[in-house]
Amino acid sequence: MSIPETLDRLKDWAERNDLMRAVVLMGSSARALNPADRLSDIDVLLFTTDPQKYKNEGEWLEEIGKLLSCYTGFQVGNNTFVKRVFFENGVGMDVTPVNVRVLDRAYRYARFNTKLRSKLPSSFRTRREKVIRTFAFYLRRGMSVLVDKDNYGGKLSFIEAEFRYVPPGAPTLQKFEEQIHQFWQTAMRMAIKLYKREFLTAKIESDHFLKLNLLTLLEWHAKCINGWQFETWHYGRYIEKWADPKIVESLKFIYGRYDEADSWNSLLKTMELFERVCHELDDCQRYKYNKLPEQRFREWIEELHRDSLGASGDVVKF
C-alpha cells in the first residue's frame, strides 16, 4: 500500500464515520513548493466531535492500514495533540484530531474580527489571536481537503486570509543581544562540562541549544541579505537552498563525536561561526552591539580548553 492508497483508505474511513466532519491534508503532501517525496510522511488534521476518542484508542487506525507503531506525541494546543503513526508498509502519518468547536469558534472570531477587536480587552485578543495566527502560519503553505461534510475547507481558507501570516521584520537590538547572551552563556556551560569530562551531558544539555541559537542567527543572516520577507522554513529545513554557501560549508565542522578532542573542536568551531555571523549581521543592520560579553566568554572558554589540553595531552586541530 502506497501513500495514495493510504489516503484513499483514510478518506473512506472518514466518510463512513459520523464523528468525522472533515479531513485536511497539510504539510509537504499539500504544497507545491518543496513537495513531498516517497519518504515523506502524511500530515493530517481530523476535525471531529470527539478528539479524545482518537487519542485514547488506536483500533480505528487498523481500518486505514496495518498498524506497526503508534504513540501520542507533542501537544500543539489545549487538548490538541499529534498522534504519530507508522503502518507496516512504511507509510508514516502524523494525525492531529481537532475539536470542530475550536474551529467553529475561530471562524466566528475571524468573521467578526473587526467588530470584536474594538470591544474585547487587548490581552484577550492577543492570547486568542496568537493561537489563530500560528494556525494560519501552517495553512499558508497549502492544504488539501480530503473530506468535508460541513464546509470546513471554506472556513479554513477564510481564517487563513483574515489572519494571514506576515513574516516579522528585523529583530531589535535587544532581541539580537538576547540571542548573543544565551549563546555565550550556554557555550561557557558546555566548556565547563567538557573540562570536567562530562561529554554526554555537554551534548544533551548544552550543544543542542547552541545549535538552535546559531540557527536563529543563520535565519536572520539570510533574511538580512535577501529581505526580511525571505523564506527560511523551520528547524533548518532546506538550509542548503537558503543560507550563504560559505556558511553551509562551515556547518560540516560544528558537530563532534563522543570524544574529548572532537567535542572541544566542535564547540570552538560553533563559536567561530556564531561570532562571524554576528559580526556580519551587526554590519548589515548597524546594531553596534556590545561585544564585551562574547570577548570575555571566549577568553574563559579558551583558557579552559588550554587547561584541558594540558591535563589530557590531546591536541585539537583547527
Side-chain angles (χ1 to χ4, degrees), residues 145-214:
V145 180
L146 303 181
V147 175
D148 195 351
K149 301 176 183 178
D150 300 299
N151 189 35
Y152 282 109
K155 293 177 182 179
L156 289 169
S157 295
F158 187 89
I159 290 170
E160 193 279 327
E162 187 68 21
F163 294 98
R164 183 152 292 164
Y165 172 76
V166 177
T172 63
L173 173 60
Q174 180 181 3
K175 190 172 183 180
F176 180 57
E177 288 187 330
E178 183 177 351
Q179 286 292 323
I180 293 171
H181 289 301
Q182 287 180 4
F183 178 87
W184 286 105
Q185 287 194 32
T186 306
M188 184 66 189
R189 293 187 180 97
M190 182 169 180
I192 292 171
K193 293 179 188 302
L194 294 180
Y195 181 80
K196 294 179 177 180
R197 303 178 65 81
E198 298 175 359
F199 305 127
L200 184 60
T201 302
K203 291 183 179 296
I204 292 173
E205 293 188 2
S206 303
D207 195 42
H208 171 68
F209 297 102
L210 286 180
K211 300 309 189 278
L212 291 179
N213 277 132
L214 174 61

Side-chain angles (χ1 to χ4, degrees), residues 3 17-18 20 29 43 49 61 65 76 107 110 119 136 145 158 179 192 201 206 213 233-234 259 263 279 282 291:
I3 289 178
N17 190 337
D18 290 338
M20 282 296 133
S29 297
D43 295 295
T49 56
L61 288 164
V76 295
Y107 174 67
K119 297 180 179 180
V145 180
F158 187 89
Q179 286 292 323
I192 292 171
T201 302
S206 303
N213 277 132
W233 293 84
H234 56 283
D259 168 85
S263 295
H279 292 176
D282 190 47
K291 294 183 174 61

Side-chain angles (χ1 to χ4, degrees), residues 10 38 40 47 56 93 95 108 125 149-150 173 175 200 226 237 260 262 271 277 295 308 310:
L10 173 63
R38 66 182 183 87
S40 298
F47 291 100
N56 300 327
M93 186 166 69
V95 187
R108 288 195 298 270
R125 294 200 314 267
K149 301 176 183 178
D150 300 299
L173 173 60
K175 190 172 183 180
L200 184 60
N226 298 286
R237 292 203 74 182
E260 182 174 14
D262 211 38
M271 290 163 44
V277 173
Q295 293 169 359
S308 177

